Amino acid sequence: MSSVPLNLTRRPRSREEIRERVADIVRQEPELGVRLDALRSFSRKVRNTEVHLTGACNIRCDGCWFFAHDFDSAVRDERDLTKVRAFVERIKADGVTSALLIGGEPTLVPDRIRPFVDLLDFVTISTNGLLALPMEGFEEVAIAVSVFGGGPLDDQLRAIHPNGRRFSGLIDTALENYRGDPRATFVYALTEQGSGYIEETVRKMAENGNLVSFNFYSEYGGEHPLREPEGRRLLNEALRVQQLFPDAVVNDPYYIEALITGRSHGQSFGYDVCPSISVDHKAHEQRIANGNPVLPGFNAWGADLETVQFCCTSGHCGDCRDSQAVHSWLLMSMHEFLDGPDALRTWLGVSEGYWRQWSWSPYSPHRTA
């Protein structure tokens, strides 16, 4: 379990009060100030956007919000590479330095990835792992490989062709495609029914030379509440495995607890606090006005490169426990972790764990080894 309770004391703080509190904590423990300065120095270079690169995919995962909510048919893919490059040039001019490319399946359209690689500092793709992204020309692309449930559950939930025909061995294919690949982190969506598979699945990834970041499986389009005692059992097992494989699992224990319980610093995760909303989407005027943080300049773009999507996932917030959204919630809440050195240390651990996921980050173990 995490050493810091989830229900930290919350109090409103002005920017000046935050600066004074940070300074007071750093005077007590200067090492925290060194870590905080390093973190700020890098993170301010990263201004992210998300792009649905294509509506096409070579599988149909159960619980995939992209297909459950018809994102594949809502807009048409922009296939003109000249227009793709113009889009990247435009968002770069707006200050974007980092892009998360999702689908559909980005490895089906590597030619559309290249303009992002050419023009932006930091590029990440999210993939199901069935196809390998070539190394040549994509050496600096971080690769987030999805896994659902682990063990045999991964095939049960993901190994489904678009025609509905099932196959087997998807996770083994992904492991082979990215064996020893420093670009690849397996984003492992945990499930209550799959708690017994966590250790063996993480062991495979660690022995394959890859990193692991935990996600939480949300069954979009259906009721999927976290139940007791299954939820507590899942949390305990995830924390145990993180301690067993600390070099492979990038996540801080506090993040894992917040991800699975949906709670942190006296709040519940949800729309009112999630920062990963598209700031240019007209539906968010009241949300932005409520004072809770949002990611500066963040937008999620449809595959037509014109449509601004609601947020970084489905827009169905009651079902969502997306790992990147939860991470952004915690990272944007530093002001809630200033009750003392231990609280700030916890926030730093969560933040550094987030950046460890990406091979282009100075926090990646492949760059610090």
Side-chain angles (χ1 to χ4, degrees), residues 46-100:
V46 183
R47 180 173 168 185
N48 197 41
T49 197
E50 179 180 279
V51 180
H52 298 187
L53 204 60
T54 178
C57 191
N58 44 11
I59 58 176
R60 291 293 184 272
C61 304
D62 280 349
C64 176
W65 57 265
F66 193 81
F67 291 99
H69 296 301
D70 301 320
F71 281 80
D72 59 314
S73 57
V75 299
R76 299 183 65 180
D77 283 17
E78 178 54 76
R79 295 180 170 85
D80 186 328
L81 296 183
T82 301
K83 293 182 178 179
V84 174
R85 179 171 286 272
F87 167 79
V88 183
E89 290 173 343
R90 177 165 60 83
I91 61 173
K92 180 179 181 179
D94 288 338
V96 169
T97 63
S98 174
L100 172 60

Side-chain angles (χ1 to χ4, degrees), residues 135-154:
M135 180 63 76
E136 185 176 357
F138 301 104
E139 294 88 350
E140 297 300 317
V141 174
I143 301 170
V145 186
S146 296
V147 173
F148 287 3
L153 273 178
D154 188 65

